[in-house]
Amino acid sequence: MHVRTSLTTLAVAAALLASVATATAATQPLSAPRITNHFQLAASQQPENITVDRTGAAYLTFSFARQIVRVTPGGRPHVLATLPAPAKANTPNLGKAFVGGIARADDGTLYVTYATGTADLTGVWAVSPGGRPRRIAALPADGLPNGLALDQHTGKLYVTDSVHGVIYRLPARGGKATVWAKGRQLEPTTFAGANGLKLHNGAVWATNLDRGTVLRIPVTAKGTAGKIQVRATGMPSIDDFAFTGHGDTLVAARDDNQVDLVRPDDTHTTVLTPADGLQTPTSIAVHGSKVYVPSAAYMTGKDPNLLIARLGGGGGGEGEAPSGEGVLGLAPARPRRPIE
């Protein structure tokens, strides 16, 4: 998530876009990128975050339309839920209601973050298959809940707050959210701090948009947060990310209109650019040998879309769980059902 509305910021964004490398095609290990879905900017169909089910169908949040949708490659968005509008939105940094991260449980329940700047609506929401959206946990109205990840083994949700620079944890069944991790590395410097979020190999991983970093926070035997580790640097405007299925190597979306391959040694390479169709990419999902990249057109103002590329070597079979949707390095387990 990276939405700034001032003319000064838009000018800076234009300069950033002009400076992006002009590769004519995807760089290995990505290949054969193609835009599979074009969305309607006039209808605020701007995809902020994504998760993918075992069939390859994508579930997206349309941030400013307040919608959760399901799409198949080449198909039209099917709206699963629209979150209630606030009487008067006052969302920090944005001013308008914002649906952010999304996670999906094995039973089909979808979870999203929602920020409105109002105490009655800001928090984590759940939608059961065929059901209506309901808030399962309140979060501070003066914050900006953003990234979201589900640990299906423990039935816990993790949430980044980009304004307060913390990570919350709460029961997926619903209940009180508590601060799980905090520290300077998660805090913003100018606009947004802790942003994208994934669970991987016994740790919670997050990005910091302002600082251009990828962070790893080990989960202790007691479930508490260990020391925050900086695992990658030098990536301005980094948003969300996903692991490739090869150790700690990941692919990261950057709001300055590129996607990077990030290696465990902190080296990173641009693998997708505007030449491939990027329009402010916001998030990443890896499903087997495919990489899904939604673009929200926040900065470019044209052609929000969904791009799919091939991942060389693959992340596993097509039936494997999508990246970031499993557990903290433990065997998958069906989560407890949310409160109806």
Side-chain angles (χ1 to χ4, degrees):
M1 182 283 305
H2 190 192
V3 188
R4 310 190 195 208
T5 57
S6 71
L7 293 176
T8 300
T9 302
L10 290 176
V12 172
L16 285 170
L17 293 176
S19 67
V20 170
T22 56
T24 57
T27 302
Q28 289 295 329
L30 300 191
S31 63
R34 68 191 192 283
I35 304 297
T36 59
N37 302 76
H38 295 272
F39 304 118
Q40 298 179 24
L41 185 59
S44 296
Q45 294 182 346
Q46 295 173 273
E48 167 63 21
N49 206 243
I50 184 171
T51 186
V52 180
D53 69 17
R54 295 180 182 278
T55 71
Y59 298 81
L60 300 165
T61 53
F62 283 164
S63 56
F64 297 133
R66 312 188 320 277
Q67 291 177 335
I68 305 167
V69 304
R70 181 182 186 272
V71 298
T72 54
R76 294 182 178 180
H78 172 64
V79 178
L80 300 175
T82 301
L83 273 63
K88 184 179 180 180
N90 188 30
T91 308
N93 289 358
L94 305 177
K96 49 188 175 181
F98 172 83
V99 182
I102 186 169
R104 183 178 183 275
D106 285 344
D107 66 0
T109 300
L110 295 168
Y111 301 91
V112 298
T113 58
Y114 188 34
T116 64
T118 63
D120 60 327
L121 296 176
T122 299
V124 178
W125 290 66
V127 183
S128 297
R132 298 173 62 85
R134 62 199 184 281
R135 189 170 71 162
I136 62 170
L139 290 172
D142 62 350
L144 184 56
N146 197 343
L148 180 67
L150 168 66
D151 182 347
Q152 299 212 71
H153 180 77
T154 64
K156 301 289 187 182
L157 289 162
Y158 294 81
V159 181
T160 58
D161 187 316
S162 297
V163 166
H164 290 302
V166 301
I167 296 176
Y168 297 105
R169 188 171 68 174
L170 62 132
R173 291 178 58 87
K176 183 179 180 180
T178 58
V179 174
W180 181 77
K182 61 182 180 179
R184 182 183 59 83
Q185 299 95 327
L186 293 166
E187 296 171 357
T189 58
T190 59
F191 179 70
N195 196 331
L197 188 68
K198 291 293 185 291
L199 309 180
H200 174 71
N201 283 353
V204 175
W205 294 65
T207 60
N208 185 310
L209 186 144
D210 281 350
R211 299 178 188 272
T213 53
V214 177
L215 309 171
R216 179 182 184 271
I217 310 174
V219 179
T220 69
K222 295 182 178 180
T224 58
K227 183 178 179 180
I228 300 174
Q229 306 165 358
V230 178
R231 298 301 296 269
T233 59
M235 288 178 290
S237 299
I238 187 172
D239 201 323
D240 202 7
F241 63 100
F243 291 92
T244 64
H246 296 278
D248 291 345
T249 301
L250 57 90
V251 280
R254 290 175 47 172
D255 289 342
D256 53 2
N257 234 24
Q258 66 188 56
V259 170
D260 286 359
L261 179 76
V262 184
R263 304 173 188 86
D265 63 359
D266 192 15
T267 59
H268 35 91
T269 304
T270 300
V271 291
L272 292 173
T273 73
D276 300 302
L278 297 181
Q279 300 286 348
T280 319
T282 54
S283 51
I284 305 275
V286 174
H287 177 69
S289 61
K290 296 178 181 177
V291 175
Y292 293 63
V293 185
S295 285
Y298 291 144
M299 299 303 226
T300 64
K302 62 179 181 180
D303 190 28
N305 62 58
L306 175 62
L307 176 151
I308 297 180
R310 182 173 298 279
L311 176 64
E318 290 294 329
E320 289 196 358
S323 173
E325 292 297 316
V327 294
L328 292 165
L330 302 171
R334 185 173 297 276
R336 290 167 266 176
R337 289 190 60 82
I339 296 172
E340 298 295 338

